[in-house]
Amino acid sequence: MRKIWKIVIGGIQSKIFNIFLMTMIILLAVFMSVVSYQNKNLSRIFASASSNQQNSIREISSQTMDAVINASLTKTTRLEAYIADSLFSRLAANVTVLGDAVKDVYLNPENYNERPVSRPDPEQEGNLSLQHVAGNPDSMTARLGNLENLIKSLVLNGQLNSLFIGTPDGVFLICDARQQEKYNDDGTVKKYDVVNRPWYIATAASGELYFSDIEKDSFSDDLGIVCSYPVYDADGALVAVVGADLFVNNISDYIESSYSEGSFTIIVNSNMEIIFAPEKQEIFDTGKMVPERNLREYLAAATAGDMDLHVVDVEGTEYFMTAAKISTIDWTAVSVVDKKLTEGPSDTMIATFGQISAASAEEFNYGVSKSRATTLVLILVVFVVGSSVSIVLSTRIVKPLTKMTENIRHISANNLAFEMDDTYKTKDEVEILATSFADLSFRTRKYIEEITRITAEKERIGAELNVATQIQSDMLPRIFPPFPLRFEFDIYAGMKPAKEVGGDFYDFFMVDENHIALVIADVSGKGVPAALFMVIAKTLIKNRAMQGGSPSEILEDVNRQLCEGNEAELFVTVWLAIIDLRTGEDFAGNAGHEHP
């Protein structure tokens, strides 16, 4: 036996050393295998967690965007349909009023003097008047001339192109300002066979209010819609058909303006024909039935009353579509949005998350490389220090990694939280990895919370603006007729703000039994500040007017009050008139606002 470095070769000490050496080699081999397995397992878990988090983010973002699209697109489509329906309802109401007036002439002819209607006069071009275009009028149709002022007011208040009356014996009376169009180039009046016009035939056949399809105007060749109404005498015989033209240029322009990249609005009739569609889009042909099967099935459901948001595949491209009924004329407005437009925020978020994941992966790989170098150093230390130190070191390395692995495995779509723990604070690569995971988890949750908060804030602001719009609308006179017991005059007014709320307003009120005040005003600016200043101005004007005085005195006093404390330097232009209902005299004053 020989003694080398205090180790006896060939003796018990040598055997113990050999056993320790073999044990340490086995332990180190096992230790290295465990560390290698854990590193690979962590890499797999890291990749799996990143993939799961990306899928969760995509799912949550998609659900959030779908909800926003459903709320905003459906609301916008219904608002557009409501506006269009109001237009046609007003058209039907004006035609019905004229029909009732014509019926009264035929039922009570003794109440009306004969007032023949003149032929169209080219020199009166641009002046609104009732004109006799076709047929030989008799005493009854001559009495219809008494309705000229009523017809003019209906044309002006209803913003109509024309109002007209046709009788079975071929008489045609029309009220418009386009008198030159009634003449041929040779100076003769154009022939107009009213009883053979499609709208006259259809109205006489249906016996009720009728809306025609889009057709050319006989005089101007403009495209328009005719709303017509039959008039019967006491015996039930048809004595006249009254109607109104509504040119569709404004509707067509509005539909064209609705187009932006990937989104637009169309209008479909009850026969599933495309009435209006922007020219820039490529999937709808105006005036034709829809050939594509999926699109045809959706439009059939929409015209039948399905107003919900749907995703429709059109030739391989998915579109969000929602519909709203234009009830008066049985049309349907459909809003179309390319689904790819809604995936932009989700793709941006996924790309951001990918960058975060890539940075974390790079940091993780750096930590693993450093860990391997540290492990080699630890092997030498283990050989020197002994098995006890080896056990302590292996426990120190393996324990936090095992706990981290378990915590990562519990990460799911509903729980993205990874919190730091004292176990991970090892002051080495494990702590770096845990810190990276915790930071990644925190930033991901904050990102999702921010998206949720922004979405909720937008919905809240939208709801508050809707309430402000309703409050502002309720402040203006909107019950008509406003003075049902006063028969010597009538009045009507309305307002459409450029934004949800604004500064434009009108007002009318009785100053006393014989005087009525009219107010038209416009506050500088738009939105909520203008709406607040409008409330103050409207209240001050009315309160001051009720105290008496001329319009100029009223406006001077109100101006003085508005200037007090007006540091924002807001202003309002006002037109104020006070009418003596006994004589018809009016006294008007304006504060920077033109006379109507």
Side-chain angles (χ1 to χ4, degrees):
M1 294 185 297
R2 292 181 300 170
K3 189 175 182 180
I4 300 176
W5 293 347
K6 298 183 179 180
I7 298 177
V8 178
I9 304 301
I12 296 175
Q13 186 177 7
S14 175
K15 293 178 180 180
I16 294 174
F17 177 79
N18 290 335
I19 293 172
F20 169 76
L21 182 61
M22 291 301 297
T23 302
M24 291 304 302
I25 291 174
I26 294 172
L27 290 175
L28 289 173
V30 171
F31 174 75
M32 290 299 298
S33 298
V34 170
V35 171
S36 178
Y37 170 78
Q38 290 288 359
N39 287 338
K40 290 180 179 180
N41 195 35
L42 280 173
S43 298
R44 179 182 60 80
I45 294 171
F46 181 87
S48 177
S50 298
S51 177
N52 290 338
Q53 288 177 331
Q54 285 185 351
N55 292 335
S56 299
I57 292 172
R58 185 179 296 277
E59 180 181 354
I60 294 171
S61 177
S62 177
Q63 291 174 352
T64 302
M65 291 304 300
D66 286 356
V68 171
I69 287 293
N70 187 22
S72 61
L73 188 62
T74 300
K75 181 178 178 181
T76 300
T77 304
R78 290 177 180 175
L79 178 60
E80 292 172 343
Y82 173 79
I83 294 172
D85 194 54
S86 298
L87 175 65
F88 291 114
S89 296
R90 187 169 64 248
L91 176 65
N94 286 324
V95 171
T96 303
V97 169
L98 177 58
D100 292 340
V102 172
K103 183 174 182 178
D104 186 69
V105 173
Y106 277 91
L107 293 179
N108 304 290
E110 67 277 7
N111 296 336
Y112 299 87
N113 296 321
E114 291 189 10
R115 184 182 175 186
V117 181
S118 301
R119 287 285 187 172
D121 185 0
E123 294 183 0
Q124 296 299 317
E125 177 71 17
N127 295 325
L128 185 66
S129 66
L130 185 62
Q131 309 146 46
H132 171 211
V133 176
N136 298 316
D138 55 15
S139 62
M140 287 302 298
T141 54
R143 288 180 169 85
L144 295 175
N146 291 280
L147 303 180
E148 181 172 8
N149 289 335
L150 170 64
I151 296 174
K152 285 182 178 180
S153 66
L154 291 176
V155 172
L156 293 173
N157 293 334
Q159 298 180 342
L160 306 178
N161 299 304
S162 66
L163 269 173
F164 43 80
I165 304 170
T167 66
D169 56 1
V171 173
F172 183 69
L173 308 178
I174 184 170
C175 180
D176 65 10
R178 304 182 306 278
Q179 307 199 42
Q180 183 64 48
E181 295 175 353
K182 313 300 188 306
Y183 285 85
N184 296 309
D185 294 337
D186 60 1
T188 60
V189 177
K190 293 181 179 178
K191 292 183 179 180
Y192 188 84
D193 189 3
V194 62
V195 296
N196 288 318
R197 293 298 297 171
W199 57 266
Y200 185 100
I201 297 172
T203 305
S206 66
E208 58 186 12
L209 188 73
Y210 171 77
F211 280 91
S212 73
D213 290 329
I214 296 176
E215 59 187 38
K216 274 189 177 182
D217 182 74
S218 298
F219 300 112
S220 67
D221 289 336
D222 289 331
L223 294 177
I225 296 169
V226 176
C227 175
S228 48
Y229 181 75
V231 179
Y232 299 93
D233 62 12
D235 297 327
L238 181 69
V239 293
V241 174
V242 301
D245 278 324
L246 178 65
F247 293 161
V248 298
N249 300 356
N250 291 339
I251 299 176
S252 179
D253 293 343
Y254 174 77
I255 293 299
E256 196 65 39
S257 67
S258 72
Y259 180 86
S260 61
E261 192 65 28
S263 66
F264 52 89
T265 300
I266 65 169
I267 294 180
V268 184
N269 67 10
S270 58
N271 297 323
M272 266 204 317
E273 296 175 337
I274 308 301
I275 303 298
F276 298 101
E279 294 182 356
K280 295 181 181 179
Q281 56 80 34
E282 300 177 352
I283 62 176
F284 296 94
D285 290 330
T286 304
K288 296 182 179 180
M289 295 286 289
V290 179
E292 209 279 340
R293 183 175 62 85
N294 292 339
L295 191 55
R296 189 170 63 252
E297 291 176 355
Y298 167 74
L299 292 179
T303 55
D306 184 0
M307 303 293 110
D308 294 332
L309 183 71
H310 292 271
V311 177
V312 182
D313 188 326
V314 181
E315 298 179 352
T317 302
E318 290 187 331
Y319 295 88
F320 282 113
M321 295 188 184
T322 184
K325 273 287 187 183
I326 305 176
S327 303
T328 302
I329 200 169
D330 199 21
W331 287 357
T332 304
V334 181
S335 291
V336 183
V337 177
D338 191 336
K339 191 177 180 182
K340 291 180 181 178
L341 295 178
T342 68
E343 296 174 351
S346 177
D347 293 339
T348 301
M349 186 163 54
I350 292 299
T352 302
F353 179 82
Q355 295 173 356
I356 297 173
S357 298
S360 299
E362 184 178 355
E363 195 171 9
F364 171 77
N365 292 331
Y366 170 77
V368 171
S369 299
K370 188 175 180 180
S371 179
R372 289 173 181 170
T374 303
T375 302
L376 292 176
V377 174
L378 288 175
I379 291 175
L380 296 177
V381 173
V382 168
F383 271 103
V384 176
V385 176
S387 60
S388 60
V389 177
S390 176
I391 294 173
V392 172
L393 293 178
S394 62
T395 301
R396 181 183 177 186
I397 295 174
V398 174
K399 183 178 179 180
L401 291 178
T402 302
K403 185 172 181 180
M404 188 185 304
T405 301
E406 290 298 322
N407 288 342
I408 293 174
R409 284 175 177 169
H410 286 90
I411 292 177
S412 64
N414 297 322
N415 181 20
L416 299 175
F418 180 89
E419 303 293 341
M420 279 295 293
D421 189 273
D422 291 339
T423 307
Y424 307 141
K425 296 179 180 180
T426 58
K427 301 184 183 302
D428 57 15
E429 294 78 9
V430 175
E431 184 174 349
I432 294 174
L433 178 61
T435 302
S436 299
F437 266 113
D439 182 61
L440 176 62
S441 175
F442 175 78
R443 282 186 283 177
T444 301
R445 285 179 289 152
K446 292 295 290 183
Y447 199 83
I448 293 174
E449 289 173 1
E450 184 66 14
I451 289 178
T452 304
R453 184 190 65 78
I454 292 173
T455 301
E457 182 67 15
K458 287 183 177 180
E459 293 176 351
R460 182 188 67 78
I461 293 173
E464 290 180 355
L465 283 177
N466 287 338
V467 173
T469 302
Q470 185 61 43
I471 291 173
Q472 184 178 20
S473 176
D474 291 344
M475 290 192 65
L476 302 181
R478 57 193 183 93
I479 298 177
F480 299 98
F483 310 107
L485 299 181
R486 301 299 293 260
F487 302 102
E488 67 273 29
F489 72 95
D490 196 4
I491 188 169
Y492 178 82
M495 184 184 78
K496 294 181 180 178
K499 295 186 176 181
E500 288 84 354
V501 292
D504 297 339
F505 71 95
Y506 65 87
D507 199 4
F508 54 84
F509 50 86
M510 297 297 298
V511 178
D512 55 37
E513 184 66 23
N514 298 314
H515 294 83
I516 185 171
L518 307 180
V519 181
I520 302 175
D522 182 10
V523 178
S524 61
K526 300 292 182 183
V528 174
L532 292 174
F533 200 75
M534 163 257 179
V535 173
I536 297 172
K538 178 180 178 297
T539 303
L540 290 176
I541 291 171
K542 184 172 183 179
N543 289 344
R544 177 59 186 84
M546 296 302 292
Q547 297 173 14
S550 67
S552 61
E553 292 172 343
I554 294 171
L555 293 177
E556 181 178 1
D557 290 345
V558 172
N559 182 68
R560 187 180 302 110
Q561 295 179 63
L562 289 175
C563 290
E564 294 176 2
N566 187 4
E567 296 182 359
E569 295 184 353
L570 291 173
F571 65 89
V572 57
T573 61
V574 181
W575 177 83
L576 170 64
I578 297 177
I579 301 175
D580 190 333
L581 299 177
R582 297 167 298 183
T583 63
E585 288 185 309
D586 74 285
F587 298 88
N590 73 82
H593 201 98
E594 66 274 21
H595 290 281

